[in-house]
Each structure stands twice: as C-alpha cells, then as structure tokens.
Amino acid sequence: MRRALRWMVVGAVAACGVGCDDGGGGEAAEPDAQLGDAAPVTPDGSAADARPGDAPDAGDPGGACGATVGGGLAWTAPDGLAAPVEGGTPARDPACAADAWLTHLRGWIVDQDGRPIEGAKAQACVRRAPDEQLNCLSPADTGGDGVFTIAVPEGGGNRCMRRLAMRTLAPNCGSATLYCRLDVPAPDAADSVLRTPTPFTLVDTTPAVVLPPEGDPEVARTVVFADGLELDVTPGRFYAEGEGYVGLGAAAVAPDAQGLCFAGEVADFSALYAFYPEGDVEGTPFPVRLPNTAGLPAGAPVEFLTLGGLDCTLDAENRIEEGVWAVSGTGTVSADGTQVVSDAGGGVPCLTWLGYRPR
Amino acid sequence: MRRALPLLLVAAAGCLEAGHGGFLDAGAPLIDAGTADAAGPRAAYPTTGIGAGVGDVLADVEFLDADGAPFALRDVFFDEAERVMLVSTAAGWCAACIEEQPKLNALHAEYGDEGLFVLVAFFEDSSFAAADVRDADRWRDRHELAFTVVADTDGAFGAYYDTALAPMTMLVEVPTMRILSIQTGFDEAMVRAVIASRLGGDR
C-alpha cells in the first residue's frame, strides 16, 4: 500500500498544474489509484522499498510520520493560521527601526494533495539585523490542522532580522525536505506575526528502482529512480544522516505544481526533482542523467540549479544557503535527444531539490 | 601588559548590545589568568559558586566524546596548559552551526597551543533526535574538526542558554572554571576579542 501510494502521489504531483486548485481546494487522489505502479527492485531482484517510519495512509490518525488528515483539504489557509498567538505580541524594539521585526512565524504544512500533516516539523534560521549573524530557531511541530507557530525568542536580538529561511520536513518519512526563503515584512509593518500566504508542501519521494548494494562505498554506481533519472552515486561521498544511501528516493515534480513555496523561482524550469534523504556530496558533484521530458533539441545546453539546504556545498569554499536556488553546473541534451546529461565536473552537489532549464 | 588584559575584556563587553548575550560586566571582579595560575596547581575542581550564569562556576559534566571515550570538563580543568575553554553547542539541523565550524577550527589552530580548548557539544541530529556518539563522530568527520567533540545526549549545556536558539557560544576561564561569556550565535569578533585578551598577551 505504501508503495502504491507513493507512486500515485508522484504521478499526481507531476500531473498537477496550477489549475488543480481552481475552486480553492484540489481533489485528493483516490487511495486506490496506482499510476505507474511497479515494484522497485535492486539488481538482485529484491524489493528496494523498505524504509523505517513508513507514513500512515491518508486519514490514518497517527503514526511515526504524522497523520495526513483526509477530507479537509488545505490549499487554502486553515482557520488556525489567523488565530492570535499565545501570550500576545511584544512591542517592537525601538532600536529595530530599519529592519523587519518579527515575534512569531506561523504557517501550515500539507502533503502534495493539500492535506494537512500533523506532527511535521518547521524550523527557521534568521539573519538578524544589523550584523546579519545567522541563528537558528528550534523546530515547532504542526498540529492537527497542519499549522505551526514558531516563537522568536526575545534574547539574542533575533527578532530584528534581515533574512529568513524555513526548513520543513517530516523526519525519516521519505518526503523531501523543503526549503523556502520568506520575504520579511517591511520595517513599518504593524503585525509582528508573519503568517505565510501559502502552505509548505512536503512531496513524497519514491525509492530508487535500481539501488546497487552499498559494497565499497568509495566506488561510484548508478542509481536509477522511477521516472528514469540516473544518478552516479559514491556512497562514501554522500553525507546524510539517517538512512543515507540505502534510503535514496526521488520524485519528479511539475515546476508549476500546487503549493511550491519557491514557485516563482522555478517557473522557467524544464523539470524539477526532489530527493530523499537530504545530504551533501563531498567533492565533485554526482553526475546525473535526466529524461528530456521537455523535448529540448539534441545538443541543447542546459544549466542545473540546486536548492540550498542545511548542508549543501558547491565546492570547498562555497555553500548554497537554505532556500536559495543556485546554478550548480551545466549539461547537454544527448545526441539521441532522450536525456539531459551533466557535463564533466557538473551534476548534483547535494541532494535537496534539482532543476534544469535551457541556457 | 597582563594587568591591562582585563580592561580589554571589559571594553569588549561594552561593545555588546543588550540582549545579544552575556559577558562578565564591568563591575565583576575579573580574574587574571596569570594570577589564577599562580595560585598553584589545580588540585580540585571548583565546587563553590556553581551556576548557569556569567561569572558562575561551570559544573563538571561528563560526556562521551566522538570516539566513545569518557570526557569530563574536569579533564580540561586539570590540564594546566589550558587557560580558556570555548564551548559551542551544535545540532545537525542548525545551518548556523555548520557555518561556525570552520571558524572554530581556525581558532583552535590559532590559539590551541596558547591554552585555548575548543569543545563542541553536539546535541541533536538533523532530524531533531538526541545525538549519540555516532552523530558526534560524523559531525567531527564531516567538518574535519581538529578539536574535541562530545555527544551532549542529555542536553547538559541546555541549562546555560535559551535552547530555542542555536548555536550557543560560551567562554570559560579554565583555572577557575568561571563562565566569562554566554552568547547565542557566534559573534566571531567578540569571541576573538575575549580570547585575545586572555591569551594574546604572550604573543
């Protein structure tokens, strides 16, 4: 069931355009729908779909991965978003006259069908003003309506801020961690509570369909994902907590899919992929080959873009900050036009979200 | 020269804006490291004045280090070569902590031989689970840290700061184990000023 659901949601997301929410709420995919269902296997024929913490089915009231609550689709803001915050909102520090002043961050987390996820985590890192020192706030859990509230502590001067990045996830559940940069309010904004206008959508990934045994971790091997994405992974250079290499999964996501907090930044992407688990690639990026679903002409040059995450290094000197899309390499459409292939030295610098577009 | 060093520390403290962290204030009796060292060998870990604030004595706490070996703060205290300890908390979910690690390595390289002991207390992984030795080991390896990393599985250092924020940076005067400063975040200029005021006199 888990496998069927995960294939189903990938298909649903891939097929979901901006028109999905014409009426302010999309239709949840039927639980029995199986789009492209197939058993992921390893080369030795064993099933590759075995992760701890399998998410509960839609409507399941609980589970290690939180519950997606059936019925109450929440592409639109739940009532809890507008509720007053507990304890009120302290007055602005007069010293913070030229920057944003925030005491709370509130938003809501949904699955790719728009259902709120209970028990998901939301976490923020802020660059405080005026020194732009980066500090990270402890995570907040979502409630039954998917809503979370992060209180920005009084100490540390972090309520006066310049930039803000969010990390939302359902730990160890197979969904791609989402990073978003949020626009901080204008310095003269009256409300010190930032309520996000759109949900944070966690996309479920599908385990790799070909996952060679880990073997010698310093040897590269090709991992194949459900839609034909091929990644040449050297496990010993993949730094990720939790399942790491053996838990690898991916999902193709339509760049114009509902609920992407970075929608405006990926609108011109030809394709978009989300990975699980998140992690950094030490040294040279992993070479990648992607299906040319956009029909770009043979030999066409593309550029790859990677979403910055918790730990995403472009090279020894440069990291991609959380929520920032950065050009991470170039590629070329293969001679037969079927694949987009990363150029030498390029590819995937970290496993978060990856896209490409013509250049 | 050494008598002037405490004044540098006070000056550094004066640069802090209220709410950005705590330092020994100008009125607190500052202990000159040389004076403390001159008091004699460190026979017993201080047991009076223990507390969680600036100026208090840091309690002796035991951990497992990234190799799984026992490590206690008294190990630092009893090492006569150590004069200032920099404690930094870190978590796998904390991008700010990741940014900070190279700076800690640089401080260790610059001041390690002069008596700076750098300690990272790793308390949660990227999925917010309590850290264990394996996590601490991975953190150390990942960031190629040349100093001690411990698994703060029980969040012992959480008693010293607002755990809603990370990282925390604490400076401790080793001969007395008095807490010199506690900051949320990592204000490198301020940290360097304090360390230089304590250790830079020998340069």
Side-chain angles (χ1 to χ4, degrees):
Chain A
M1 184 57 182
R2 162 74 166 159
R3 185 179 301 137
L5 271 176
R6 299 186 69 189
W7 278 86
M8 174 270 291
V9 294
V10 169
V13 169
C16 180
V18 289
C20 285
D21 192 24
D22 291 344
E27 289 293 322
E30 290 298 319
D32 291 336
Q34 297 180 21
L35 302 180
D37 197 4
V41 292
T42 63
D44 64 4
S46 61
D49 184 5
R51 287 178 176 163
D54 263 2
D57 292 348
D60 188 330
C65 292
T68 54
V69 182
L73 300 182
W75 289 122
T76 52
D79 293 343
L81 194 73
V85 295
E86 235 175 80
T89 55
R92 170 185 284 267
D93 180 347
C96 183
D99 291 287
W101 172 259
L102 287 179
T103 58
H104 297 80
L105 310 169
R106 179 173 281 174
W108 79 107
I109 299 177
V110 300
D111 68 11
Q112 54 266 63
D113 296 319
R115 290 178 296 230
I117 302 176
E118 181 178 7
K121 303 277 190 184
Q123 193 224 327
C125 291
V126 305
R127 287 215 180 263
R128 75 182 186 196
D131 62 3
E132 302 209 356
Q133 181 177 299
L134 184 66
N135 286 323
C136 295
L137 311 182
S138 293
D141 292 343
T142 55
D145 57 358
V147 173
F148 65 84
T149 303
I150 298 173
V152 184
E154 181 180 6
N158 295 289
R159 288 176 175 170
C160 190
M161 64 180 73
R162 295 248 166 102
R163 294 203 297 279
L164 170 62
M166 290 291 303
R167 175 178 184 245
T168 50
L169 67 158
N172 306 315
C173 292
S175 58
T177 300
L178 182 67
Y179 291 91
C180 311
R181 299 201 86 173
L182 300 183
D183 292 330
V184 296
D188 59 353
D191 194 353
S192 67
V193 182
L194 176 62
R195 293 175 170 86
T196 61
T198 55
F200 297 94
T201 305
L202 299 185
V203 174
D204 211 0
T205 64
T206 303
V209 294
V210 176
L211 186 72
E214 191 162 7
D216 183 347
E218 301 307 321
V219 173
R221 77 288 314 274
T222 298
V223 177
V224 182
F225 297 92
D227 71 335
L229 185 156
E230 299 175 1
L231 190 63
D232 295 341
V233 177
T234 305
R237 294 200 293 115
F238 177 45
Y239 179 82
E241 291 177 352
E243 300 168 80
Y245 170 77
V246 299
L248 280 173
V253 181
D256 60 355
Q258 184 101 25
L260 296 179
C261 60
F262 42 64
E265 297 172 84
V266 302
D268 63 345
F269 284 17
S270 299
L272 179 63
Y273 294 87
F275 289 102
Y276 173 89
E278 64 175 314
D280 192 38
V281 176
E282 292 181 316
T284 311
F286 290 157
V288 65
R289 294 170 294 283
L290 306 162
N292 180 20
T293 51
L296 299 176
V302 305
E303 62 183 5
F304 289 106
L305 296 102
T306 298
L307 179 65
L310 188 56
D311 190 6
C312 183
T313 53
L314 273 176
D315 52 48
E317 304 293 326
N318 298 294
R319 296 178 62 241
I320 310 177
E321 277 207 29
E322 289 180 306
V324 173
W325 281 96
V327 174
S328 56
T330 58
T332 308
V333 178
S334 61
D336 64 5
T338 61
Q339 287 185 313
V340 174
V341 181
S342 58
D343 294 335
V348 179
C350 65
L351 268 63
T352 49
W353 288 65
L354 176 74
Y356 70 84
R357 64 188 174 197
R359 65 181 168 96
Chain B
M1 174 62 187
R2 190 161 259 170
R3 279 190 186 162
L5 293 179
L7 295 176
L8 290 174
L9 179 57
V10 173
C15 296
L16 277 178
E17 292 177 39
H20 281 210
F23 268 75
L24 273 177
D25 61 40
L30 290 172
I31 300 168
D32 181 86
T35 304
D37 284 339
R42 302 170 195 174
Y45 194 94
T47 53
T48 58
I50 286 176
V54 171
D56 292 337
V57 170
L58 180 64
D60 183 21
V61 185
E62 298 176 344
F63 306 93
L64 291 177
D65 70 14
D67 294 318
F71 173 88
L73 296 183
R74 63 179 173 275
D75 298 338
V76 182
F77 172 79
F78 286 123
D79 185 341
E80 301 279 348
E82 307 299 354
R83 296 162 61 192
V84 174
M85 179 168 65
L86 190 165
V87 180
S88 176
T89 60
W93 48 261
C94 171
C97 304
I98 292 170
E99 270 195 11
E100 183 184 329
Q101 301 310 303
K103 300 171 185 172
L104 296 176
N105 248 350
L107 282 169
H108 170 75
E110 193 172 343
Y111 288 103
D113 289 342
E114 297 180 35
L116 176 68
F117 187 91
V118 181
L119 175 68
V120 160
F122 191 73
F123 64 95
E124 282 182 356
D125 68 14
S126 62
S127 298
F128 316 106
D132 57 20
V133 168
R134 183 168 169 266
D135 296 321
D137 182 39
R138 289 163 62 88
W139 182 262
R140 181 183 60 178
D141 288 351
R142 168 63 181 149
H143 301 290
E144 299 177 344
L145 303 179
F147 49 79
T148 301
V149 179
V150 297
D152 189 3
T153 307
D154 299 324
F157 279 108
Y160 295 85
Y161 69 108
D162 183 349
T163 54
L165 281 168
M168 178 276 287
T169 306
M170 174 192 289
L171 287 162
V172 178
E173 182 181 63
V174 175
T176 61
M177 294 308 282
R178 285 185 66 190
I179 299 170
L180 296 172
S181 72
I182 301 174
Q183 302 174 322
T184 53
F186 184 74
D187 185 336
E188 186 175 7
M190 198 59 59
V191 168
R192 281 184 169 277
V194 175
I195 292 172
S197 74
R198 291 276 153 173
L199 304 179
D202 291 345
R203 294 189 157 196

